[in-house]
Amino acid sequence: MSDIEGNAQPVLTPLITGQIGIPIDPLAARSIAMFAFDKAVVQDHANRSRTPFFSRRIRHAFRERLTIPPDVNVWICAIKDHGGGGRVKTLYFNGNSPLGNSLHMYAYTFAFGYFACQVLAVKQIWKTAFRSLPGFENIAIPIWPGVLSNLVWPVHHAIDNTAMLEDFAMRWARIELIDL
């Protein structure tokens, strides 16, 4: 874990402190994604009131080979006025989608300084695409499994206030499913 944090610190520090004009290339995006996934797994495993979302096999694959599962997505966004401190929010869903398919979902959001990051992991039986309802498409920038080319931090739009940050953390509670 210290290697993951050591690789992510030079990338995350300028984002957290609100610096501008920071390029997010694929290597930087991978460092952020690995850091965020590591924190999501630790937070998930620390909750002893239920079975962890991430299996032992997935946790060990990440520890040994730094393998992020294919069903994991990571977004980043800027916070205009952070108000100090950090925030963490988790969201779990285990049940059926509106289409009747089995769906198990875990979202982990953390914010610190001028930076917010969200990890979303999904386990589903049928091939179903999903997306959050509109509102963050110009704010939340996908960095994993792929990053937009020529991404420079921060983007033009940002989270404006605490209520909007809460909406960002809870956006997967309101999903739209598309049968494929």
Side-chain angles (χ1 to χ4, degrees):
M1 284 203 311
S2 63
D3 287 346
I4 292 170
E5 290 180 11
N7 288 334
Q9 184 178 6
V11 175
L12 288 173
T13 299
L15 309 180
I16 291 168
T17 59
Q19 294 180 30
I20 60 172
I22 309 299
I24 308 290
D25 61 18
L27 187 59
R30 180 169 169 73
S31 292
I32 295 168
M34 285 194 315
F35 177 83
F37 182 70
D38 180 56
K39 298 305 175 204
V41 169
V42 169
Q43 179 75 26
D44 172 55
H45 196 67
N47 185 346
R48 299 293 182 177
S49 66
R50 55 166 186 72
T51 303
F53 181 88
F54 299 106
S55 68
R56 177 183 296 268
R57 181 184 57 78
I58 289 172
R59 294 190 311 263
H60 285 266
F62 183 67
R63 182 184 70 196
E64 294 167 9
R65 296 181 300 280
L66 299 178
T67 303
I68 298 174
D71 60 353
V72 170
N73 292 273
V74 180
W75 291 265
I76 60 174
C77 61
I79 301 173
K80 191 180 285 186
D81 296 317
H82 66 84
R87 294 175 193 85
V88 171
K89 184 85 169 181
T90 58
L91 171 72
Y92 293 91
F93 176 81
N94 192 9
N96 290 324
S97 75
L99 300 173
N101 302 331
S102 175
L103 178 65
H104 191 185
M105 181 172 61
Y106 170 61
Y108 170 79
T109 305
F110 72 91
F112 194 74
Y114 293 95
F115 175 77
C117 185
Q118 187 170 75
V119 176
L120 177 70
V122 176
K123 297 175 187 174
Q124 57 186 340
I125 292 178
W126 303 107
K127 274 288 196 196
T128 303
F130 60 97
R131 61 179 175 247
S132 65
L133 295 178
F136 292 96
E137 58 277 348
N138 295 320
I139 295 173
I141 307 302
I143 63 159
W144 188 264
V147 65
L148 301 172
S149 60
N150 302 316
L151 177 60
V152 177
W153 183 266
V155 294
H156 298 291
H157 304 284
I159 290 176
D160 287 331
N161 53 51
T162 304
M164 193 174 180
L165 180 58
E166 179 72 15
D167 284 348
F168 174 65
M170 297 303 292
R171 73 187 178 131
W172 296 108
R174 303 175 312 271
I175 60 174
E176 178 180 315
L177 297 162
I178 307 145
D179 203 7
L180 297 178

